Amino acid sequence: MPARAVGLLVAMTGVFVVVATSVAGGASLGPSLAFAAWAAVPYVGLWLASYRIPRAWIVGGAGLAALSVECGIRAAVFLDPRGSTAAVALVVSPVYIAAFVMPMGGLLGWLVGRLWARGAIARALAVTGACALVALTVVSLARPELTPWATASREAARASIGPPRLVSGGDRFDWRPITDRRASIQAGEFDGAPGDEIALVEPGGIELLDPADRSSLAHLPLAPDRAPRWSWSSRLVHLHAGLAVAQTGGGFQATEVRGLDNRLLWAYQPDPALPPTAMMPGDLDADGRTEFYASASDHVARLDEDGRIRWRDDAPGYTIAALAAARGEQPAWVAGWRYGSGVRVWNADGSVRGSVSGNGRSLLGIADWPSERVLVLADETVEGVALDGRTRFSLPAVPYMSPSDIAVAHLEHGPALLAIVYAARQEVGGYRLRVFVPDGTVAYDEVFASYVRVLVARDAAGGERLYLVDAELRELVPRTQMGRRWAADGAEDADGADGPQMAQRTQMAQRTGAQDSGP
């Protein structure tokens, strides 16, 4: 077949692919056809070039490579998009295909043509290799997790993580069940009295529990037609007028506060074109009223409970990421993180307290652990970094997993605990909870199949409790402390052998389907 005939066949196929997928996946016909015309430029160009290229093998190789890449990209955009920006690939792909893919494909086509002339065995190898290369190209662009190397890496990760199980710490800690109700669960100061409460947010209402004895403190009904929209960014807050729901932003989510009757109390969006990046509630000045710390594209601000700005600092690119109330002689901290730059810390009055270079690490939170307030920074490892830039502790990485959540609890009768939740890549699956004591020893270690997170609640006496949320809400308790706490109820002391409690715990670890429905 002449080179120009091959060029025409490739051009017709390419134009059909880009027009059909653009029209089928586009919102309106006019822009879709304009987009298709841009995507068809490389194929029309190849057809015109085929009048000058003497060998059909070169044209066919260039065309087959271009169509393989085109199909892979369009499958990724229209059939299995991985994010809101996936379609950006369609804008740059014509340039990539014309400048890189077609020349490489033409070279491979020339090599296949040379092999074709060397007999039946060489032809079989050439055809097999070309088919395998086309298949790998399409799959690696459309579903990269299905490529052989990705599959091998995923299986290696799963083998390293292992099945859900209790790894260690059953002789030192056990779980005190709180509730298995399917609810969005939060901990905080919600009733204005000393000590935190646990809030169970369900479609029919909000129930507040006392973390000490699990008793119900209040139940606030939510009418379905008047309930605030609840999502992963929703936070229950206590205002002078009662409970409200704060939407804390992220992406294009709103930053606003609504009453339990869904009435908008106020919203914060200083730039009408861009939403703020985050808004976190807290009571850092300990006046019993919630204030809010917000970040937009060019500043960080503190708002009072009515949404009025109390201070504002120009800080382009910083996102509010963590708050820490005053503790002992340590004043309150407000921490903002900027990608590629690091962390800046403000005092509660808006003055800058200090900054730390991130060195490519993200900010997980602020920790008073073991005896000093530090910023907890993470990539694969977790480090506690003081404001003078020196590393106070460094914890080892967990293979194939990355730290995703932390909590620090200073138990009333027990050691300070640093709990870290590690998460595997989505295609691998699996979570791991490690609890460290101040000398850096792993005191508790467990692998889970489904999403888990940790909470801390402070009781009226000032002690703190550490909770895990997965299929149910449970408190992590040192076994000697648990024995004292349950002795009055006739429970068996937990200082002995693991016995039935450990058997029950092992069964809990093997649950694979249930997940917390909260944000």
Side-chain angles (χ1 to χ4, degrees):
M1 184 180 292
R4 64 183 64 180
V6 175
L8 179 60
L9 179 62
V10 169
M12 293 175 62
T13 305
V15 170
F16 172 77
V17 169
V18 299
V19 170
T21 55
S22 296
V23 171
S28 56
L29 183 60
S32 298
L33 290 177
F35 215 54
W38 163 243
V41 168
Y43 303 100
V44 175
L46 181 63
W47 172 52
L48 295 175
S50 67
Y51 283 84
R52 296 284 186 177
I53 300 174
R55 297 180 68 96
W57 288 107
I58 297 177
V59 178
L64 186 60
L67 288 172
S68 301
V69 172
E70 191 78 64
C71 290
I73 291 175
R74 289 179 174 267
V77 171
F78 294 117
L79 299 180
D80 188 28
R82 302 303 176 92
S84 59
T85 60
V88 174
L90 297 179
V91 178
V92 299
S93 62
V95 176
Y96 173 70
I97 288 172
F100 178 74
V101 175
M102 283 185 170
M104 291 297 297
L107 177 60
L108 292 175
W110 176 79
L111 291 174
V112 170
R114 296 292 299 270
L115 288 173
W116 195 263
R118 294 180 178 274
I121 296 178
R123 291 180 180 181
L125 291 175
V127 171
T128 302
C131 291
L133 187 58
V134 168
L136 283 175
T137 299
V138 174
V139 171
S140 63
L141 292 170
R143 296 289 299 274
E145 72 276 9
L146 298 181
T147 57
W149 49 88
T151 301
S153 174
R154 183 168 60 250
E155 293 307 313
R158 288 174 177 171
S160 174
I161 295 170
R165 68 197 185 280
L166 178 62
V167 179
S168 64
D171 58 335
R172 294 181 290 273
F173 292 92
D174 213 325
W175 293 102
R176 178 194 185 206
I178 305 298
T179 180
D180 60 358
R181 288 162 56 178
R182 302 287 293 172
S184 297
I185 300 174
Q186 297 186 6
E189 173 49 66
F190 300 133
D191 64 355
D196 291 343
E197 295 76 46
I198 296 172
L200 308 180
V201 182
E202 298 172 306
I206 300 173
E207 184 164 3
L208 301 182
L209 300 182
D210 186 330
D213 59 12
R214 297 170 287 176
S215 63
S216 177
L217 299 175
H219 183 83
L220 305 171
L222 289 175
D225 58 337
R226 294 186 290 107
R229 176 179 56 86
W230 197 270
S231 69
W232 62 269
S233 63
S234 302
R235 297 292 181 270
L236 198 63
V237 295
H238 180 261
L239 307 180
H240 69 278
L243 285 179
V245 177
Q247 305 294 349
T248 59
F252 289 94
Q253 303 293 322
T255 48
E256 61 185 24
V257 177
R258 291 181 177 269
L260 297 187
D261 58 358
N262 205 28
R263 179 172 55 91
L264 178 65
L265 302 181
W266 54 267
Y268 185 68
Q269 189 170 350
D271 185 345
L274 294 172
T277 56
M279 184 177 73
M280 300 185 70
D283 181 16
L284 303 192
D285 56 7
D287 65 352
R289 292 191 174 186
T290 301
E291 66 266 11
F292 299 84
Y293 298 85
S295 53
S297 59
D298 60 349
H299 71 272
V300 168
R302 170 178 166 167
L303 316 174
D304 64 18
E305 67 172 23
D306 296 315
R308 294 186 294 262
I309 297 177
R310 291 309 184 188
W311 57 257
R312 170 176 167 151
D313 186 33
D314 293 335
Y318 280 94
T319 298
I320 291 293
L323 306 177
R327 187 181 185 93
E329 297 182 357
Q330 183 65 253
W333 283 16
V334 179
W337 177 77
R338 184 167 67 183
Y339 179 79
S341 176
V343 181
R344 181 179 295 179
V345 177
W346 290 265
N347 292 309
D349 62 4
S351 59
V352 176
R353 186 169 186 82
S355 60
V356 170
S357 174
N359 295 326
R361 299 167 296 181
S362 59
L363 176 64
L364 278 183
I366 301 171
D368 293 309
W369 192 86
S371 58
E372 181 180 2
R373 176 161 292 180
V374 295
L375 300 166
V376 182
L377 304 178
D379 40 27
E380 295 302 318
T381 61
V382 175
E383 293 186 342
V385 180
L387 279 184
D388 60 9
R390 290 186 294 176
T391 299
R392 295 298 194 259
F393 65 84
S394 181
L395 304 176
V398 176
Y400 299 103
M401 306 187 95
S402 300
S404 63
D405 190 18
I406 67 163
V408 177
H410 298 267
L411 304 186
E412 183 178 6
H413 300 290
L417 302 178
L418 171 61
I420 305 178
V421 175
Y422 298 84
R425 302 191 311 270
Q426 183 177 4
E427 64 271 18
V428 173
Y431 296 83
R432 189 164 189 162
L433 170 67
R434 281 188 166 180
V435 179
F436 298 84
V437 291
D439 65 359
T441 302
V442 178
Y444 189 86
D445 190 356
E446 185 172 353
V447 177
F448 298 83
S450 57
Y451 174 71
V452 296
R453 60 191 179 96
V454 284
L455 297 175
V456 173
R458 181 172 299 177
D459 57 32
E464 293 177 333
R465 302 166 187 268
L466 179 64
Y467 298 90
L468 178 81
V469 182
D470 58 345
E472 56 185 324
L473 175 67
R474 287 166 280 143
E475 180 185 358
L476 184 67
V477 185
R479 292 178 71 83
T480 53
Q481 178 185 352
M482 185 184 66
R484 290 196 304 270
R485 183 177 294 168
W486 285 1
D489 298 329
E492 181 179 352
D493 195 302
D495 292 326
D498 288 353
Q501 289 181 333
M502 286 308 302
Q504 181 186 22
R505 185 70 204 110
T506 302
Q507 292 175 359
M508 290 179 181
Q510 293 173 345
R511 297 179 183 176
T512 59
Q515 295 190 22
D516 170 51
S517 59

